[in-house]
Amino acid sequence: MAHSKYILAALLSLGTAETPSLADTRTPPPDSAIAAGCSALTRSLPSQVFLPGSSVYDYEVGNLWSNTQIRRPACIVRPTSARNVSTAVRESRATGTRFAVRAGGHMAVPGANSIDDGILVVMSNLTRISIAPDRASVDVGPGLTWEDVYAYLIDFERTAVGGRIAPIGVAGLTLGGGIGFQGNARGWAADNVIEYEVVLASGKVVVANETSNADLFWALKGGGANFGIVTNFKLRTAPSTKVLAGIYTIDGSHMDALITAAADYASYNTDPLSHILPLVEIVNQTTTIGLVLFYDSATEANPACLDQFFAIPATNSTVAFKTLAEFVVERNSFSIPDINDVLFAGTVVGGNGGDVRAAIQLTHDVFYGKLPDLYAAVPPAALEYVSIGWQPVPGLWLEASRRANPGGNPLGLGLSSSSAVGGEEGKVYIAWVGIVMWKEARYDDAVGRWIRDVADAINGAARESGLYDPFVYMGDAAGFQDVFAGYGAKNRERLLRVSREYDPDRVFQTLMPGGFKIGL
Ligand SMILES: Cc1cc2nc3c(=O)[nH]c(=O)nc-3n(C[C@H](O)[C@H](O)[C@H](O)COP(=O)(O)OP(=O)(O)OC[C@H]3O[C@@H](n4cnc5c(N)ncnc54)[C@H](O)[C@@H]3O)c2cc1C
Ligand SMILES: *[C@@H]1O[C@H](CO)[C@@H](O)[C@H](O)[C@H]1NC(C)=O
Ligand SMILES: *[C@@H]1O[C@H](CO)[C@@H](O)[C@H](O)[C@H]1NC(C)=O
Ligand SMILES: *[C@@H]1O[C@H](CO)[C@@H](O)[C@H](O)[C@H]1NC(C)=O
Ligand SMILES: *[C@@H]1O[C@H](CO)[C@@H](O)[C@H](O)[C@H]1NC(C)=O
Ligand SMILES: *[C@@H]1O[C@H](CO)[C@@H](O)[C@H](O)[C@H]1NC(C)=O
């Protein structure tokens, strides 16, 4: 999407909000090592290595959501098999050349999915997809997007739990946990992976499932890019033809009603077929609310659980029966090409309806309170889109997660205390996400400072009110955010143990510095 900009980015040597919690991908390794790595790969995979100046290099190097992600790798390799991925890992190790891995390219953390002066391994040709004869599962290559998966499965009247917008990669989303439309019925996307094929640091290709490499199986369900390169995801499928879904557009003047409806829904909804994503969208300093509504039924046009939203007047609504593939494409219309984007995130938590409303209101108020600072630092004309959204993760979701995946995941949002069963008694988490889209690299640092300030301010206010939770959803996190601390000490230690067991030489912590890292 951003590919025309890479030369400019390289020339300007983009300043970005890079972070202490991610390894520094900028310190250049010796040229001889880089050259050795790329030439070794060129010898082993002669038709799959692309150097600067080639059209494939130019295409792949900028095939990222945000211009801030663009780096200048020494070469790009496109494996066509797990064995080729293994070759890339072995050659990188043998020559001491650092590498990055990119699938859908939507993690907007600079350095997470590309690298200066190293090898960029892209998943573009690992796009095999194949439904099982019983249709209960599907094998999906890491180069596919969620649109690809939904479009393939609809021919079999099936679907999978995954992304809510077309171009998001299967790999990155699933490795971070994965928030999909069917969370209330089926948990996180990662809970619905029944087997992974993984290239380990040794170059060995292994299977991780409930019975083989069970600790790796657990770790991959939210542990990100710390354990190996996944070359196949076996996803559980579910029946699907059409769903009731759309964007219900509300004027910003109805914010109170929206927040009340969202809080009531998050606290009291008992219908697992429903999902909402209220996005406050500020364009040209004017607020509209883009409320994403979803109900997993091909026949129910008026689900009672969404009544409170439909009672708010809309300026437009696209809510109608459509396939999931159609809906994620429709939602992608808000993607702006060739732009700088960043996400940042956090979690507030409430124990009953009143608390949840206060928690959402607090994030809203702090966010709006900080907008003047943003406008002072970045000319409003350079800001394309500023947003905050609220993703409810109630007890219903956590119960579904446990049903789908009894072995658990590392995310740490569990039903740890036996009384937490959702509804009025249980905890309701609101994973909030902030988005800024802007033009011109010279504002990167200013935006980086602003999002850090807003996240600190929301977390501070939430702590003071007893509404704070340390969970930060990896998919929505900015580079400075400590995702693994939010999983809780026990899960973090277990992830570290698993990573040391499968990667004793710490290849995925040092040679592959990008992404959220568990540490040495
Ligand atoms: C517009 C937008 C909408 C989004 N919507 C959703 C949503 O609905 N639900 C949700 O849960 N999240 C959502 N996200 C967050 C998204 O899940 C993350 O950004 C995710 O990391 C994207 O995955 P990717 O494959 O596209 O990214 P990439 O940037 O390619 O990969 C992300 C990380 O995973 C690593 N990685 C990639 N492939 C592999 C592999 N095969 N093996 C090991 N490591 C690998 C990369 O090195 C990188 O560190 C959204 C993000 C954006 C920008
Ligand atoms: C690359 O993958 C192809 C396709 O599976 C295979 O034929 C070839 O042997 C692999 N080469 C290496 C060096 O991994
Ligand atoms: C590899 O991926 C690129 C980019 O999507 C595509 O154009 C090309 O046809 C693919 N090649 C193979 C062998 O799949
Ligand atoms: C896990 O993978 C192994 C090796 O492929 C296989 O023998 C076993 O049946 C799998 N277990 C499950 C529960 O699928
Ligand atoms: C913002 O407002 C200006 C001036 O009214 C207009 O030209 C521009 O198209 C608007 N931008 C968007 C994204 O609506
Ligand atoms: C409503 O949204 C649809 C889809 O984006 C668009 O085609 C239509 O013009 C919109 N209608 C109004 C009144 O804004």
Side-chain angles (χ1 to χ4, degrees):
M1 198 176 275
H3 49 274
S4 56
K5 268 294 176 69
Y6 77 93
I7 298 172
L8 185 61
L11 288 175
L12 297 174
S13 133
L14 289 181
T16 52
E18 243 153 319
T19 81
S21 68
L22 295 171
D24 182 5
T25 56
R26 300 279 194 77
T27 316
D31 288 350
S32 53
I34 304 163
C38 288
S39 28
L41 271 175
T42 306
R43 279 191 301 276
S44 349
L45 299 168
S47 54
Q48 284 141 262
V49 179
F50 303 94
L51 298 172
S54 71
S55 60
V56 171
Y57 181 98
D58 286 356
Y59 164 75
E60 293 288 6
V61 82
N63 193 6
L64 295 159
W65 185 49
S66 168
N67 286 344
T68 56
Q69 298 166 253
I70 297 170
R71 291 291 176 273
R72 189 80 185 152
C75 58
I76 295 180
V77 56
R78 261 184 185 172
T80 60
S81 63
R83 188 162 160 227
N84 290 178
V85 173
S86 168
T87 299
V89 171
R90 287 175 205 264
E91 301 283 25
S92 302
R93 290 192 68 170
T95 55
T97 315
R98 292 194 296 182
F99 63 98
V101 174
R102 194 208 72 220
H106 273 70
M107 182 176 272
V109 172
N113 41 25
S114 190
I115 189 162
D116 281 328
D117 303 323
I119 298 165
L120 174 60
V121 185
V122 297
M123 302 287 105
S124 312
N125 287 149
L126 293 171
T127 48
R128 209 173 53 96
I129 183 163
S130 147
I131 195 165
D134 69 359
R135 301 188 174 188
S137 66
V138 61
D139 284 303
V140 178
L144 292 167
T145 65
W146 287 104
E147 179 193 355
D148 298 330
V149 174
Y150 301 146
Y152 170 86
L153 287 175
I154 197 68
D155 289 344
F156 304 95
E157 302 196 340
R158 307 292 291 182
T159 195
V161 184
R164 293 166 299 176
I165 188 161
I168 308 303
V170 169
L173 179 138
T174 308
L175 288 167
I179 300 178
F181 293 116
Q182 305 100 330
N184 284 327
R186 303 179 59 206
W188 304 90
D191 291 325
N192 295 282
V193 183
I194 50 189
E195 190 167 284
Y196 302 82
E197 181 188 71
V198 194
V199 175
L200 299 179
S202 62
K204 200 172 160 197
V205 185
V206 302
V207 160
N209 61 27
E210 234 169 44
T211 52
S212 273
N213 298 307
D215 45 0
L216 180 60
F217 182 65
W218 173 84
L220 289 169
K221 294 178 183 296
N226 284 287
F227 308 93
I229 302 178
V230 177
T231 47
N232 190 64
F233 295 84
K234 190 187 285 293
L235 309 177
R236 191 181 289 128
T237 67
S240 185
T241 52
K242 290 198 171 184
V243 296
L244 181 72
I247 301 163
Y248 191 81
T249 307
I250 299 168
D251 187 83
S253 60
H254 296 290
M255 189 66 76
D256 273 356
L258 184 268
I259 290 179
T260 301
D264 286 350
Y265 171 85
S267 305
Y268 305 118
N269 171 52
T270 56
D271 190 333
L273 301 181
S274 61
H275 181 87
I276 66 159
L277 172 57
L279 286 169
V280 170
E281 305 182 310
I282 304 161
V283 175
N284 265 350
Q285 297 181 259
T286 303
T287 297
T288 46
I289 297 157
L291 171 61
V292 176
L293 294 175
F294 175 92
Y295 194 74
D296 197 356
S297 164
T299 51
E300 176 56 74
N302 291 296
C305 59
L306 302 180
D307 276 354
Q308 208 174 339
F309 297 108
F310 288 126
I312 305 172
T315 55
N316 196 359
S317 171
T318 68
V319 177
F321 294 109
K322 55 192 80 168
T323 66
L324 205 46
E326 285 163 350
F327 187 42
V328 296
V329 169
E330 173 192 330
R331 284 211 59 223
N332 197 40
S333 62
F334 103 121
S335 276
I336 304 168
D338 195 19
I339 190 151
N340 297 341
D341 313 76
V342 73
L343 301 182
F344 62 110
T347 302
V348 287
V349 63
N352 61 52
D355 271 4
V356 173
R357 196 194 189 291
I360 297 176
Q361 187 74 50
L362 173 156
T363 62
H364 167 276
D365 293 352
V366 172
F367 193 84
Y368 271 83
K370 291 285 181 187
L371 280 177
D373 293 350
L374 181 63
Y375 299 143
V378 183
L383 289 168
E384 285 282 333
Y385 180 96
V386 184
S387 171
I388 183 166
W390 300 291
Q391 310 178 92
V393 182
L396 204 55
W397 184 296
L398 301 173
E399 287 166 27
S401 167
R402 190 164 55 183
R403 269 197 315 276
N405 176 28
N409 62 49
L411 300 171
L413 291 188
L415 300 170
S416 44
S417 71
S418 52
S419 65
V421 290
E424 212 153 336
E425 300 297 315
K427 280 188 173 180
V428 176
Y429 299 92
I430 305 290
W432 60 265
V433 54
I435 309 173
V436 183
M437 302 189 185
W438 70 102
K439 294 178 278 197
E440 300 187 55
R442 66 180 143 141
Y443 301 116
D444 290 4
D445 288 340
V447 172
R449 279 191 296 273
W450 186 76
I451 62 170
R452 201 187 268 253
D453 185 44
V454 175
D456 285 350
I458 290 179
N459 290 337
R463 266 197 199 90
E464 268 176 34
S465 318
L467 302 170
Y468 170 77
D469 190 272
F471 181 71
V472 183
Y473 174 52
M474 183 190 292
D476 296 337
F480 65 85
Q481 302 195 283
D482 194 346
V483 167
F484 294 118
Y487 289 7
K490 225 175 116 197
N491 287 334
R492 182 188 215 167
E493 276 156 33
R494 186 171 168 199
L495 285 172
L496 185 58
R497 249 189 350 262
V498 176
S499 89
R500 286 176 175 154
E501 182 189 337
Y502 285 89
D503 179 12
D505 299 328
R506 315 313 284 136
V507 169
F508 293 109
Q509 305 303 313
T510 54
L511 265 193
M512 182 191 162
F516 292 92
K517 293 289 143 165
I518 192 69
L520 289 175

